[in-house]
Every structure is written in structure tokens, then in C-alpha cells.
Amino acid sequence: MFPVATTEAPSELRESFDPGDDGDLEAGSYRPALVKLVEDVRESERDLLDGFASRRAILLWTQQLAVRTLGEMPQDWFRQMGRQFRGVPESAHERTLVAALLRDQYRTRDLPEPKAREFRRQLSARTIRPAAHRAFRELRNDAGEYVDDGTDDQHAPGKQQYVAMRPAIHELHENQRTTLESLLDGFDDRESILEWGHDLELATHGEIDEEFVTRCYGERSTRTMLTSYDSEDRRGRELFAAHYLIPVFNKGVRDLAGRAKEQANEQREETTTAKL
């Protein structure tokens, strides 16, 4: 058991250390890549605790989380998520895990919001935080140290464009997001599936099975699901993404993370981060 303090901290200490204060991310840092990593995970955690507005938003968040934890999320967790999207027609209630991730007004299963929020906190504490810790330890040996006075805006963690200040990882993230959204939207025809397969190669960093796109194109039921716009097939593509794509995305990020090089790149003023 952790020791529990029985006395309140002095008021001057409480004033100088506010747990709700994230610090000044616009200030410089000697090792900004580490700060950027921590703050990106913090943002993903806040999105989780707030809950999501749709199953699609959950999938986009899991893809982003895989990148922000540098592929250190357990593969088994993604397989579990895939099972939660399985066999649920649009007319039925979500499975419990998905229901807990959705905000109260967007879930159909009867689940009290306090219980759902506690589940989300447990997910953060038991799964995301250990993965984030492993990612931090992997990054710390290669995180660049800028030996100026630490106040150069170019090195401010809050102004960094790239995930962990690694352009290659950020590029992989963008490829994954675009490829995932294309799948969820569906394809116009069979040829579009083949074209999408090239993007998938980049998005998975070569971790996708060599016969995967061949099966997507050749199997009648899969091809129909990928090119149909009815509600049942849209649900089917969500399951397809959760089961087949996102776990492989995570493996691709993990492989690339140890090879990517650091580069400071201050965001343009008009650049904003899209919220789920």
C-alpha cells in the first residue's frame, strides 16, 4: 500500500505546486522531445476521460494513442478492442467496453456515467500510464539536449509540430489517420481498394500481411463490405479497422520509433490540432 498523508500541506506549498497546472509549454526546454511526448499523452488521456461521441471517434483515438505511446500499448489490448466491435448490428446496444468509452448521451446501453467514467480512469491508470512510461524510457536515451539557455521558441514543447519531435513518426501518424478514415468512409469501386493498399503499406510501416490487400480485393464478402454504403456495412468497416488495421498500426509505430531522428520544428501560427 502507498502511504497516505494525514495532514494537509501548508498553504504556501499548495500555492507553489498546483497539480492542475501543466506548466508553461510555450517556454523552452533542454529536452523538449520528452516534454512533448508527455503532453501529447496527457491530451489523449483527457480526451479519454471526457468520453467520445461515436464509435468512429474511438477508433481514431486508439490510432492516435498508438502513435503517442510510440507503439508501447500492449498488442493484446488492441485485440480486446477489436472483439468489442464484433457482432453488434446498428439496432443493438454497444458492448460494455465501447459503451463505457462513449459519453452518456451517445451510448445506447444502460450504463451509469459514474461507472463509465471510473472505467475510463482505470484504463488510463492500468494500461495507458504503463505504456506511456515505457515510451518515455525508450525515448529518453535518444532525446536531443539543446544546450542553449532553454528559452528559444524553436525548442518550446508547446510549439512542436511533430510527435516526440520525430518527423518520421508524425508522417506515419498522418498516413495512418488518412488510411483509416478512407476505410471507414468506404470505397467507390474495387480498383479503389487496390489503390488504398499502397497507402496501407506506408501506414503500417510494412507490417501488414503480404496477402491482406489481395484478400480484400478477392473475397466477395469483404469486397462488398468495403464498397457498400449501407449502415450494416459501415459498422462492418469499423470492426474491420479495429480488428485488422489498428493492431498492425501499433506494430508499425513500435518498429519505427527506435529508428526515427529528432528535429525541432515550430508550428505555424495558423496550425491547430484537430480534436476528436
Side-chain angles (χ1 to χ4, degrees), residues 117-160:
R117 187 170 178 83
E118 175 58 22
F119 173 86
R120 298 196 295 268
R121 286 194 293 258
Q122 291 285 341
L123 172 58
S124 175
R126 296 186 177 186
T127 305
I128 297 176
R129 292 294 179 88
H133 176 69
R134 291 191 295 271
F136 188 97
R137 289 177 64 87
E138 286 297 316
L139 182 64
R140 65 182 181 177
N141 292 333
D142 296 322
E145 182 172 342
Y146 296 86
V147 291
D148 52 24
D149 62 4
T151 59
D152 189 340
D153 281 348
Q154 185 183 10
H155 304 156
K159 293 186 176 181
Q160 296 305 315

Side-chain angles (χ1 to χ4, degrees), residues 55-64 173-187 196 199-200 203 237-238 240-242 245-246 249 276:
R55 293 158 57 97
R56 181 186 179 113
I58 294 172
L59 290 171
L60 293 174
W61 174 80
T62 59
Q63 177 274 321
Q64 180 191 72
H173 164 63
E174 292 183 328
N175 288 337
Q176 290 184 353
R177 178 57 59 98
T178 300
T179 304
L180 177 58
E181 288 182 329
S182 295
L183 169 68
L184 295 176
D185 290 340
F187 303 108
W196 173 77
D199 300 328
L200 186 62
R237 289 195 293 272
E238 292 171 349
F240 190 83
L245 259 64
I246 297 180
F249 284 171
L276 294 177

Side-chain angles (χ1 to χ4, degrees), residues 88-135:
V88 183
E90 190 170 21
S91 59
H93 297 312
E94 311 91 5
R95 295 197 176 196
T96 303
L97 187 151
V98 172
L101 294 177
L102 293 169
R103 292 199 289 272
D104 187 46
Q105 66 268 38
Y106 297 110
R107 74 173 70 103
T108 61
R109 178 177 289 275
D110 184 17
L111 183 65
E113 178 57 23
K115 289 186 177 180
R117 187 170 178 83
E118 175 58 22
F119 173 86
R120 298 196 295 268
R121 286 194 293 258
Q122 291 285 341
L123 172 58
S124 175
R126 296 186 177 186
T127 305
I128 297 176
R129 292 294 179 88
H133 176 69
R134 291 191 295 271

Side-chain angles (χ1 to χ4, degrees), residues 6-270:
T6 57
T7 58
E8 188 176 7
S11 59
E12 62 272 15
L13 179 58
R14 295 198 304 273
E15 291 172 359
S16 64
F17 177 71
D18 180 1
D21 182 8
D22 297 340
D24 183 6
L25 296 182
E26 299 305 307
S29 170
Y30 291 110
R31 305 190 78 188
L34 295 174
V35 180
K36 171 67 171 168
L37 180 73
V38 168
E39 293 307 321
D40 279 350
V41 173
R42 191 197 304 270
E43 182 181 61
S44 291
E45 182 183 75
R46 286 171 173 164
D47 290 339
L48 167 65
L49 295 180
D50 287 343
F52 302 99
S54 66
R55 293 158 57 97
R56 181 186 179 113
I58 294 172
L59 290 171
L60 293 174
W61 174 80
T62 59
Q63 177 274 321
Q64 180 191 72
L65 183 66
V67 174
R68 288 182 167 181
T69 56
L70 306 184
E72 291 293 335
M73 286 289 290
Q75 286 295 118
D76 186 62
W77 183 78
F78 291 104
R79 287 191 287 269
Q80 180 184 4
M81 283 295 297
R83 289 193 293 269
Q84 289 293 312
F85 278 82
R86 181 176 299 162
V88 183
E90 190 170 21
S91 59
H93 297 312
E94 311 91 5
R95 295 197 176 196
T96 303
L97 187 151
V98 172
L101 294 177
L102 293 169
R103 292 199 289 272
D104 187 46
Q105 66 268 38
Y106 297 110
R107 74 173 70 103
T108 61
R109 178 177 289 275
D110 184 17
L111 183 65
E113 178 57 23
K115 289 186 177 180
R117 187 170 178 83
E118 175 58 22
F119 173 86
R120 298 196 295 268
R121 286 194 293 258
Q122 291 285 341
L123 172 58
S124 175
R126 296 186 177 186
T127 305
I128 297 176
R129 292 294 179 88
H133 176 69
R134 291 191 295 271
F136 188 97
R137 289 177 64 87
E138 286 297 316
L139 182 64
R140 65 182 181 177
N141 292 333
D142 296 322
E145 182 172 342
Y146 296 86
V147 291
D148 52 24
D149 62 4
T151 59
D152 189 340
D153 281 348
Q154 185 183 10
H155 304 156
K159 293 186 176 181
Q160 296 305 315
Q161 177 182 356
Y162 302 135
V163 175
M165 295 178 65
R166 264 67 182 163
I169 294 177
H170 187 81
E171 180 181 52
L172 184 63
H173 164 63
E174 292 183 328
N175 288 337
Q176 290 184 353
R177 178 57 59 98
T178 300
T179 304
L180 177 58
E181 288 182 329
S182 295
L183 169 68
L184 295 176
D185 290 340
F187 303 108
D188 293 332
D189 49 43
R190 296 177 67 184
E191 189 172 329
S192 298
I193 297 174
L194 293 177
E195 183 66 25
W196 173 77
H198 295 296
D199 300 328
L200 186 62
E201 198 74 62
L202 291 171
T204 62
H205 195 53
E207 290 291 331
I208 196 69
D209 186 87
E210 64 181 41
E211 297 292 330
F212 183 80
V213 176
T214 302
R215 294 198 303 270
C216 289
Y217 181 84
E219 294 176 0
R220 182 188 298 271
S221 59
T222 303
R223 185 172 68 240
T224 299
M225 179 266 296
L226 293 177
T227 57
S228 169
Y229 291 97
D230 65 42
S231 58
E232 184 175 345
D233 285 322
R234 285 199 299 270
R235 282 280 180 124
R237 289 195 293 272
E238 292 171 349
L239 167 61
F240 190 83
H243 185 75
Y244 290 110
L245 259 64
I246 297 180
V248 184
F249 284 171
N250 189 62
K251 291 174 65 176
V253 176
R254 185 178 300 179
D255 181 79
L256 178 61
R259 312 170 192 265
K261 303 301 181 183
E262 182 171 312
Q263 177 181 326
N265 191 307
E266 186 178 348
Q267 292 181 1
R268 298 177 184 269
E269 287 298 321
E270 65 270 19

